[in-house]
Amino acid sequence: MLRRIKGGVHPHDEKKSTDDKKIAVLPLPKKLFVPVHQHIGQPSVPVVKAGDEVKKGQLIAESADGRGTPVHSPTSGKVTEIGNYPHPLYGKSPCVVIESDGLDQWQEGLLTDRSWEVLSAAEMIDIIFKNGIVGMGGAAFPTHIKLSPPKDKKIDTLIVNAAECEPYLTSDYRTMIEYADDVIKGTQIVMKILGVQKGFIGIENNKPKAISLMKEKCKGKKIEVVELETKYPQGAEKMMIKAILDKEVPSGKLPMDVGCAVQNVGSLKAVADAVEKNIPLIERVVTVTGRTVKNPVNVMAKVGTPFTELFDFCGGFRGANGKIIMGGPMMGMAQVSLDAVVVKATSGIVSIADNEVDLKEELACIRCGRCIDVCTMRLLPNVLSILSEKGQHQTAQTDYNLMDCVECGCCYYVCPSRRNIVHYIRQSKAKNAMLRNAIKTGSK
Amino acid sequence: MLLQTAIYAVLAMIGLGLIFGFFISFANRKWAVEVDPRIHEVDEVLPKGQCGGCGYPGCMAYAEAVVTNPDVPPNLCAPGKEAVAQKVAEITGKKAVALETKIAFVRCSGTYGKAIRTGVYKGVKDCVSANILVGGDKGCTYGCLGYGTCVKVCMFDALKMSPEGIPVVNPDKCTGCGKCVTVCPRNIITLVKPEIMVKVNCNSRDKGAIVRKHCQAGCIGCGMCAKSCPYGAIVIDNFLAIVDHNICLEKCSDPVCMIKCPTKVLRPAIWGTVPGFEVKEEKV
Amino acid sequence: MSHTDHNNNSMFKITLNLTMAAFLAGIIIGVVFFFTYEKAEEQKKLQKELSMKELVPDAAIFVPIEGKHEWFRAEKDDKTLAYLLLAEQKGFDGHIKMFVAVTPDKKVIGYKVLSHKETPGLGDVAFKPKFASQFTGKGIENMELVKIQEEGKILAITGATITSRAVTAAVKHVLVEVDAYLTQGPAAGDTGVHTETKNEHK
Amino acid sequence: MNLWKEFTKGLVAENPIFRLALSLCPALAVTSNVYNALGMGVTVLFVITCNNIVVSAFRNVIHPKVRVPVYIMSIATIVTVAMLTLEAYLPVLFRELGIYLPLVVVFAIILARAEVFAAKNSVIPSMIDGLGMGVGFTIGMVTIGAIREIIGNGSFFGYQILGSWYHPPLIIILAPGGFIVIGFIIGVMNLNEKRKKDKSEKAEMAAGGTI
Amino acid sequence: METKETTANIQKPEKLVITSSPHVHNTESVTKIMWIVNLTLLPAAIFSVINFGLPALITMLLCIAGSAACEAAIQYWRKVKVTVSDGSAVLTGLLLAMCLPAGIAWYVPVIASVAAIGIAKHTMGGLGHNVFNPAHIGRAFVMASYPVAMTTWAVSRIGNSADFAGAMGKVADFDVVTGATPLGILKQQGYQALVDSFGGQSAMYKALFIGNTGGSLGETSAILLILGGLVLVIKKYIKWQVPVVMIGTVALFTWIFGGKVDGKLVYFTGDPVLHILSGGLIIGAFFMATDMVTTPLTTQGQVLFAFGCGLITVLIRLYGGYPEGVCYSILLMNALTPLIDRYIFPKKFGSLPEPVTRS
Amino acid sequence: MTEYFLLFMSAAIVNNFVLTRYLGLCIFFGVSKNYHASTSMGLAIISIITLSSMITWVIEHFILLPLGLYFLKTIVFVVVIAVFVQLLEMVIKKFMPTLYNVWGIYLLLVATNCVILGVPLINSEANFTFIKSTVNALGSGTGFAIALILFASLREKLQFSDVPKSLDGLPIAFILAGMLALAFQGFSGMIPL
Ligand SMILES: Cc1cc2nc3c(=O)[nH]c(=O)nc-3n(C[C@H](O)[C@H](O)[C@H](O)COP(=O)(O)O)c2cc1C
Ligand SMILES: Cc1cc2nc3c(=O)[nH]c(=O)nc-3n(C[C@H](O)[C@H](O)[C@H](O)COP(=O)(O)O)c2cc1C
Ligand SMILES: Cc1cc2nc3c(=O)[nH]c(=O)nc-3n(C[C@H](O)[C@H](O)[C@H](O)COP(=O)(O)O)c2cc1C
Ligand SMILES: Cc1cc2nc3c(=O)[nH]c(=O)nc-3n(C[C@H](O)[C@H](O)[C@H](O)CO)c2cc1C
Ligand code: SF4
Ligand code: SF4
Ligand code: SF4
Ligand code: SF4
Ligand code: FES
């Protein structure tokens, strides 16, 4: 049965150019710039200094407060510097710069071969923490925290988010096709950790191959593959839960509050690798695509690889570039510079041509209500944008549920006035946060 | 007949006066409610047009609000004009807060001509908005983005965006409320005493080389000022000169530091000079 | 004001204060009333006569008719020139109040509107000579409103049929009243000409 | 105290209608022609001046607890006197002003001036203040009346000044037009003020002043 | 930005554009919507020219040119971008013309356009900010200003000529024959007189449906307007609920309360078809009650809005001073729109009762 | 019954106080900046108008008219209303503080206002019976409240518009009121009274 959500949009999926491209392996870059801040929360603290020799998989930064995730060296070589370098999300942020020695030598003690079935949940959570696993669906939320819900929250269902509803991106799809066993294994591990009996894999119906493959692999495993209507933002976890279980996660609450956990397929593969082979999260599948990219690819790229290397691997550009986006075109972050690097949350890099960059001017809201019709969170996006424009950020939060917005961007996508609704909403959120901080720290 | 009616009129009026006079005085005695006396004081000075123009449902309501709520400004009464605002402020003690001795100071010289932009920013014209997009389009990650969020937030019209893209403070209007300080995503604005002598017009903690790459006007942390200062009022912290204004004010009469500064980012504290201002060397 | 002296707050003082003010007010008003009343009454009568005079310029005096409210007989040299009746009729918006003058042989002389709320430029065209003059000399048999010119009938104003109809009805009503009065004697008809039931003025 | 200043402030800077937004009802209701507007303006001028004189003269004997009733009583007395007089000597105007005449009592501007000014000042300045405010009010009324009468009726003081080619939009003398005309008048006043302010700010900037 | 030393040898792009996500957009734009609505009105507009001749065309051109010029002038004066090309002023002009009688004196359309654009739209800040429907404000403005001219309706030529070809032959004729609108006759002379004037009920329906009657430009071609409206519904520019509810409400209430026998109200004897097909209800329901700027945001709100429009229309038609009532009903509901928006909004996500499937 | 209903509707809608009779405009423009204030104000107006027109009717018909003192109408009405409202306000403040906070504070504002004095004067002019004047007052107050609330909600919406600087504030409020009045013209001629 096809599951649907109300609202949402149908952007052209543009996945043709990469969905049959095997995951290639990127040649080893000469220098890697590994940011110490790759998850939601406090940045980690470097534990190496300039001049240190490091091995592949060696710990180079530690969680500052025990809630963040550690960072590991993606290759072997020498730390040349710890300095501020472009980060694809935060502008500039401290990076451990590693000059590769070309050997790509693993640190000892990794690459074990153990069966997840003999490990206890607590042990596995520890392994996941130590190997620096974060959610790879985009949010980069530390996975070990997600897997240790408070005692009073009973989780009974795991949902594997394989929707990949963003246009262009095919990294999750390729992961499912090429690492199907790892994904299933990861699912089983997480199910064991959470002690749940029921697992679902939600896949949009524009990926029939993945659906049939997953169906076959899941036979006899208490995991059910669910076909979802192709509709953005089907992959947002609240929508996933709504479509599969018909439960709505209340405002300000988490999936665990309705007894669910949602994990991205990439995260599950990383979990499987960490638990069975003790491999930390140092590389991931990245889709490099877009109309101006000569040869779009899916590539296994090391964390800390500059985007230039990836585009180089694709044979460079054809035509003038307008925007480079880290992530998908609906939620991704536009980059100021190609010097930004791959982080754990980089699912794709999309290049948009000069003439594709939509520079139509923003107009006043004409109250057409389209944004309201497509908002899956049932907000009033136009009102939020206007409140933000007029500086009433607090009202947006108290009266119009500002914080419920998941920034999916459907509202902008349909807005005939091309209002930067999402940007306005993010501005409100940022300003409210600044105000909260100012109040907390006592005004100056 | 006519006379009679006229006399009735007088009698009726007297009756009216007696009855209502009694009612009012009676009510006044029995039903009067104790309130903050300042409310009455404010109410006294208000025009009593009961026009509701202040946004409150009447003069008394505004008086109550302005006395009890510290956020209500004393100048909402349009009919009363400034004189009333002045008196209301006196009674409520509000001006005192506003007339704090500090005023805002914008620590950046990266005007359009001097500081480079690395991208083409097409988003919402707001510094916070620009800043959340990978730090915005300005090369210098410490510099003023120039989208005027501070200007918009200033209730006193004290900030203006200069044509060169850096906000300028009007010291006569600035009340030191600190709203702009809170809202600037780059922490560029601070509150300082108005009488300080020199100001460091930069906020960058980047190394000198990096600063140079982004901006011709920034502090490169060369330390010339610190070395030249005979009183040790300047220290270099993270490639940025920090001035101890108290020492300056106490001891210094001849700020040589400004002459020594190679990028002229150290400038006299003449308020209102537009960034890009050149120090006149002859007379300091 | 600096009156915050608490001794001042005695009930007696407050009451006295207000009473004094009321007393003064009463005196002033009473005196002015005393001296202006008669002049005002005169003016009122004069105003009414003026409007009646406009309708029947030849008349010397206007005699109120016994037992009828706001009925007048215009007389000159003891000869009745006309009957003037105050008529009120529901128009497009609100009531139209007007004096209608009728000759003793029951032909219309004209009408004069005292108050109305009809739309300026539309409804109030009905009070201008162009429309009003149609009535002059017509009798009850002619009091029919038509929309296309018809000999002997009243042609409605385009766009203001309602007002036209109201005026016509009022005039017709007056004709009926006067007819009844003249043929059946003073007891017949209403005491006032009002097609709408309405409380009468004091 | 500069009496001239007290007088002129009411004309434009603190114009009771356009600036203080007080006594708006007559500004709309009796301004469909200049004649009525002027009549109402002069009536208010008279009442406000008299009342200011009365209030300032008696200000030291009025008990604060009964201040408002007494002021109202004073205003009402003056208005009643005016009404009786008008009825006797200017009956046509009396009828035209209709219900708005007794309502003069509650026009906020009169009570406001009593409270704001007359209650705190001596007789002469209060009288001047009343005159200024009254004249300002009258100017406002006549301005509105003139604009409405000319546009909406093609006439001025009842004389047809625009030829028969002109077909006046009636709405201007009806309720909606009244609102809209006043809105635009205040708008134009604001525009002028803004222009002046902009100019002075520019001059300031040019003089190397504060910005 | 510091350049990183890498092995890459690609040409780096000059300066990248940064905006917030999302980075893709569908193809809709305000301009496109406005021009398409203009297009859907075109058949009815052309028909009205055929029906009333050149005077109709002149009225139409005056309205459109007046609106566009007024918008341009104001925007030029305010030193903001001149947005005449987005078609919204043209649309306002066109819709305004559809509410005016053909061949009305030239200054009426001009003043109406200035009221519509200059007062209703640009005092509030232009497209998207106005609270009242500009076209209707324009119409109401001149209705109150020039009531005589505004109630002097042109008579259909097709109705007057024996056949369509005859009417075509007279298109270039400047003369306007004036007469009453069906609702005007209904109000003044009653239902029977109206039916008689058409020579029978079915003839009347047919004439009304095809547009063979007197009235304003847009009052007379129900079928073309409905077709245009359907295009908008299919293109999802308007919600079908609005015209359906509005027309349905009018039909229901006129059926119940609209019938008089010998001057006395008899329930359920009204003629809903007459009321639907005349007095600009169709154009109002499809093109004006659906103006997104001045109507509620949510579908539920719009349905309420449409119901209110229908109700007030009937009130005015049956009891008011005006024969039709669509214009005022829409203006009155425009005034209610902020209140509707205040109380009708989507239920927030997660407020559904939790399903009780937990063990 | 129908008569009273029509009288009520006429006063409330068709001959709306603010929009067709221009009374109470100072409050109308002053208070409508804020939606919540205007709802409370609406309630205050309705109650005060009704009560004071009842009181003044009694005074007029039992004191003034029998003594021939019709010319004292204005002064007596206005003083009676002012004092009555002042007393009412005191009582509510003393005995019902919660009610006072949502409603009572608006009382003094309306005490000396055209609309409150206007209705008794109109009643007296039209020579209404006691019930009729009460109904008329209720209708007028309701009409005022309706207009006020509508207008406040419109003005709050306008805060999000891009009104030209020189028209912002009072001017646009007037223009908006003009358009609202234009819309209310739709009711004209509906119930002639
Ligand atoms: C609008 C929106 C769209 C999303 N789309 C996807 C998606 O297509 N695939 C995905 O795995 N996660 C997607 N996510 C992230 C999920 O909400 C959720 O964070 C993720 O599935 C959790 O798994 P993880 O912790 O393993 O990353 C999306 C989130 C949002 C807000
Ligand atoms: C603003 C406006 C005001 C009107 N005022 C009046 C009026 O005062 N008197 C009147 O008879 N009709 C008035 N009408 C017109 C009536 O509604 C009705 O259409 C008219 O009386 C029909 O007359 P006709 O059949 O001669 O066209 C007015 C119409 C409008 C639009
Ligand atoms: C500058 C100017 C403005 C005019 N404005 C109007 C106007 O607002 N209303 C109007 O009816 N005629 C106006 N006219 C007059 C018309 O040109 C024309 O003479 C009139 O419409 C003839 O109509 P009539 O035959 O009904 O008198 C104006 C003329 C000029 C020169
Ligand atoms: C479906 C639709 C209906 C419209 N209806 C109107 C209308 O009735 N009147 C009008 O002036 N503009 C209308 N417009 C155009 C536009 O919304 C109008 O110019 C704005 O109200 C001006 O801000 C309409 C636009 C669309 C898309
Ligand atoms: S408001 Fe937020 S959740 Fe709703 S459509 Fe816009 S971005 Fe998505
Ligand atoms: S889609 Fe755009 S124009 Fe339409 S209501 Fe939303 S914000 Fe306004
Ligand atoms: S000082 Fe800060 S807030 Fe002001 S313009 Fe510069 S970056 Fe923006
Ligand atoms: S916001 Fe406050 S501190 Fe900043 S410039 Fe304005 S008045 Fe000064
Ligand atoms: S309320 Fe009528 S004049 Fe102020």
Side-chain angles (χ1 to χ4, degrees), chain E residues 305-327:
Chain E
F305 178 92
F307 174 77
C309 285
L311 192 65
I312 298 175
T313 302
V314 175
L315 266 181
I316 294 177
R317 283 189 181 182
L318 298 185
Y319 307 107
Y322 296 89
E324 55 93 75
V326 175
C327 165

Side-chain angles (χ1 to χ4, degrees), chain A residues 248 257 309 312 322-323 329-330 332 339 361 366-367 370 376 378 382 401 409 412-413 415-418, chain E residues 2 4 6-9 12 17 19 21-23 25-26 28 30 237 292-293 295 297 341 347 350 352 358:
Chain A
E248 290 189 1
D257 292 296
E309 300 275 352
D312 200 28
K323 272 186 197 168
M330 293 301 283
D339 293 325
E361 210 185 326
I366 59 165
R367 296 171 46 87
R370 284 155 199 250
T376 49
R378 298 202 286 262
N382 66 325
N401 308 317
Y412 168 82
Y413 182 79
C415 174
S417 287
R418 315 266 163 151
Chain E
E2 302 87 293
K4 285 174 177 170
T6 58
T7 50
N9 46 20
K12 279 197 204 166
V17 174
T19 63
S21 63
H23 308 284
H25 196 283
N26 69 6
E28 292 294 357
V30 173
Y237 287 175
M292 48 267 229
V293 178
T295 57
L297 283 168
D341 275 341
K347 218 170 182 185
L352 289 188
R358 298 258 205 108

Side-chain angles (χ1 to χ4, degrees), chain E residues 37 88 91-92 95 121 127-128 130 133-135 238 287-288 291:
Chain E
V37 179
S88 87
L91 181 54
T92 298
L95 283 165
K121 189 172 173 187
L127 180 61
N130 51 310
N133 191 321
I238 66 176
F287 290 90
M288 289 161 143
D291 173 21

Side-chain angles (χ1 to χ4, degrees), chain A residues 261-279:
Chain A
V262 182
Q263 287 292 335
N264 170 259
V265 281
S267 317
L268 292 171
K269 177 197 173 266
V271 164
D273 282 350
V275 170
E276 291 217 314
K277 304 199 193 109
N278 211 8
I279 295 180

Side-chain angles (χ1 to χ4, degrees), chain A residues 31-38 44-52 54 58-62 71-74 78-85 93-99 303-305 341:
Chain A
K31 260 192 178 177
L32 290 162
F33 301 77
V34 187
V36 296
H37 193 185
Q38 298 198 42
S44 298
V45 189
V47 292
V48 289
K49 54 187 186 305
D52 285 1
V54 290
Q58 183 183 331
L59 183 75
I60 53 175
E62 236 176 21
V71 179
H72 302 81
S73 172
K78 202 168 103 186
V79 176
T80 56
E81 185 196 358
I82 294 170
N84 272 341
Y85 284 98
S93 137
C95 292
V96 178
V97 183
I98 298 169
E99 196 169 64
V303 166
T305 312
V341 293

